[in-house]
Amino acid sequence: MAKVALSLILLGSIFLMSTYTQAAEQDSDGDGISDRYERLSKTNAQDPNSKPVDMDGDGIPDAYDMDSDGDGVNNWQDAFPKDASRYSKHETQSNQSSDKKDTDGDGFSNALEKENGTNPYDANSFPDADGPVLELVDMPEVVDQEIVQVRGMAFDQGMGIKKVQVVNADGDIFLGHFEYTTHFQVKVRLNRGENQLQVAAFDSANNVSRRFLSLTYAP
């Protein structure tokens, strides 16, 4: 008989604990904050527009949350308890110090490389704001051939040449190729009469240098 009574008491205790837990976790207005926390925070548990601040959205109001910003560091250990992207002043100072360095030794600081979208760990990737050097080989102003070769020299002290092209007044684009490291030629089809040509060299950072050429095709 005593065992039966004890069993009933245990079952009753479990039931009461379960009921209490359910009540504690109940969220009547569905705003993500339990009624219990709403009562503690003195907000309206029946109004989804009335709820306490919960920065990390974990259902625990900031006033009762040991890690308000949800960065895995408790508030009392967190130098920036309201900023999930930072938690240590030492780390921030370390990052700032790292930004001043030039890790790949290309002459540009890590911070400047990040700002320009280049790789601070690759010496062949660095900010390049200067256009390439572009020079043309002299040509006669009047030619009797429809197809001509525009020749010249192009090189870039930054990230290197990407392409050389010639554009005529009609917008036709003629792409060139390099015969040697810096010497290029572009095969261009001329129209009868005067042809205004734009020769352009692009580097890998999309800087461009231009030269203008006037040729008259008189067959």
Side-chain angles (χ1 to χ4, degrees):
M1 190 69 180
K3 290 183 178 180
V4 173
L6 181 59
S7 297
L8 290 173
I9 291 172
L10 288 173
L11 287 172
S13 298
I14 293 172
F15 174 76
L16 288 173
M17 290 177 64
S18 175
T19 302
Y20 173 79
T21 301
Q22 291 176 4
E25 299 305 321
Q26 184 176 353
D27 179 14
S28 299
D29 55 9
D31 60 3
I33 306 293
S34 70
D35 294 358
R36 178 169 65 93
Y37 277 127
E38 294 235 35
R39 286 193 296 272
L40 289 171
S41 303
K42 301 187 184 307
T43 53
N44 189 343
Q46 306 299 322
D47 181 0
N49 295 315
S50 172
K51 63 179 181 179
V53 176
D54 177 19
M55 180 183 298
D56 57 3
D58 63 355
I60 304 174
D62 290 354
Y64 303 97
D65 196 341
M66 292 188 296
D67 178 16
S68 299
D69 56 11
D71 61 0
V73 180
N74 288 327
N75 294 338
W76 62 85
Q77 298 173 308
D78 195 337
F80 306 95
K82 302 295 184 183
D83 185 352
S85 66
R86 299 187 298 170
Y87 63 86
S88 167
K89 289 182 179 178
H90 173 72
E91 179 190 45
T92 303
Q93 292 169 353
S94 175
N95 288 342
Q96 291 173 348
S97 176
S98 175
D99 283 345
K100 295 178 181 178
K101 293 180 180 178
D102 175 17
T103 303
D104 55 11
D106 59 6
F108 298 90
S109 70
N110 295 351
L112 185 60
E113 294 225 40
K114 291 176 183 177
E115 182 181 335
N116 285 271
T118 55
N119 189 344
Y121 303 102
D122 181 358
N124 294 315
S125 172
F126 50 83
D128 180 5
D130 297 323
V133 174
L134 174 62
E135 299 294 341
L136 301 180
V137 173
D138 290 338
M139 297 183 66
E141 294 182 0
V142 180
V143 296
D144 58 4
Q145 295 180 339
E146 182 183 12
I147 305 296
V148 297
Q149 298 284 353
V150 176
R151 290 185 168 87
M153 179 183 69
F155 66 90
D156 183 64
Q157 295 180 334
M159 297 179 66
I161 295 290
K162 182 167 64 175
K163 66 178 179 179
V164 175
Q165 67 182 32
V166 175
V167 182
N168 64 18
D170 296 328
D172 299 322
I173 298 175
F174 305 90
L175 293 176
H177 70 275
F178 281 84
E179 300 174 291
Y180 306 104
T181 305
T182 60
H183 294 74
F184 68 86
Q185 67 175 17
V186 187
K187 184 182 292 186
V188 179
R189 182 185 299 275
L190 300 177
N191 297 319
R192 286 179 178 269
E194 186 177 1
N195 292 261
Q196 297 295 330
L197 305 176
Q198 180 190 109
V199 185
F202 297 81
D203 66 15
S204 296
N206 289 322
N207 300 306
V208 59
S209 295
R210 295 182 173 87
R211 296 289 182 271
F212 297 91
L213 185 63
S214 178
L215 295 177
T216 298
Y217 171 40

